Amino acid sequence: MDKYMEIAVEEARKGIRAGHGGPFGSVIVKDGEVIGKGHNQVIINNDPTCHGEMMAIHAACKKLGTFDLTGCELYTTAEPCPMCAGAVRWANISRVYYGCNISDTDSIGFRDKQFYEEECSIFEELDRDICLELFEEYRDMSGRKAY
């Protein structure tokens, strides 16, 4: 077993045994050093965004003092859901290694697969003009870079 995946598995095991959430653990590595770990904490925090990848990203960013994880690798026990995949991309993580795939998570009762297969129709544009003014204000502020 890969040593970093082993750490991710142990992180997940710690979380499920404590009743924090599902069997999802993640580790972020940079230059051979573990800089962040996390496990699913959805149940313990009553927060659907507390997936293992998200918690590891939070820990790594805090440790490095940055939101840019360029050059980092993520090891995770399951293929990232769309939310976590988006966070990985926003954080500029360079590579992701995962254990179980979406079909595997589906087989134990998680619904990741539906987010890949079903169209979402709950979104509606509202008050775009006002929000565009806000965007223009942000853009016009000196020294601002989009993230």
Side-chain angles (χ1 to χ4, degrees):
M1 177 185 284
D2 179 90
K3 69 180 181 178
Y4 300 120
M5 186 61 80
E6 188 173 3
I7 296 168
V9 167
E10 284 306 312
E11 187 67 22
R13 188 168 281 127
K14 179 174 82 173
I16 63 172
R17 289 181 177 168
H20 292 175
F24 309 108
S26 300
V27 174
I28 297 177
V29 177
K30 184 169 188 171
D31 299 325
E33 177 189 352
V34 173
I35 58 164
K37 296 188 294 187
H39 61 264
N40 185 292
Q41 295 183 33
V42 168
I43 293 171
I44 190 73
N45 289 333
N46 291 316
D47 184 341
T49 66
C50 290
H51 291 192
E53 296 92 339
M54 302 297 273
M55 305 311 288
I57 289 169
H58 292 177
C61 289
K62 186 173 182 176
K63 181 172 184 170
L64 295 180
T66 182
F67 53 83
D68 185 356
L69 299 179
T70 297
C72 293
E73 297 175 328
L74 173 74
Y75 295 78
T76 187
T77 57
E79 185 174 353
C81 72
M83 175 184 69
C84 293
V88 163
R89 293 184 72 186
W90 280 111
N92 297 313
I93 292 173
S94 303
R95 192 84 175 146
V96 176
Y97 301 97
Y98 63 87
C100 295
N101 62 41
I102 297 300
S103 294
D104 298 325
T105 57
D106 186 60
S107 74
I108 61 168
F110 287 87
R111 58 191 178 117
D112 299 42
K113 192 179 260 190
Q114 90 176 53
F115 295 110
Y116 287 99
E117 295 175 349
E118 295 177 10
E119 187 173 318
C120 184
S121 62
I122 64 170
F123 299 101
E124 181 178 339
E125 191 174 282
L126 178 67
D127 292 328
R128 182 171 180 257
D129 292 341
I130 294 167
C131 295
L132 281 173
E133 289 176 19
L134 176 67
F135 278 31
E136 289 171 14
E137 179 182 339
Y138 177 84
R139 181 192 62 219
D140 294 342
M141 294 175 77
S142 63
R144 292 285 184 187
K145 184 177 178 184
Y147 297 103

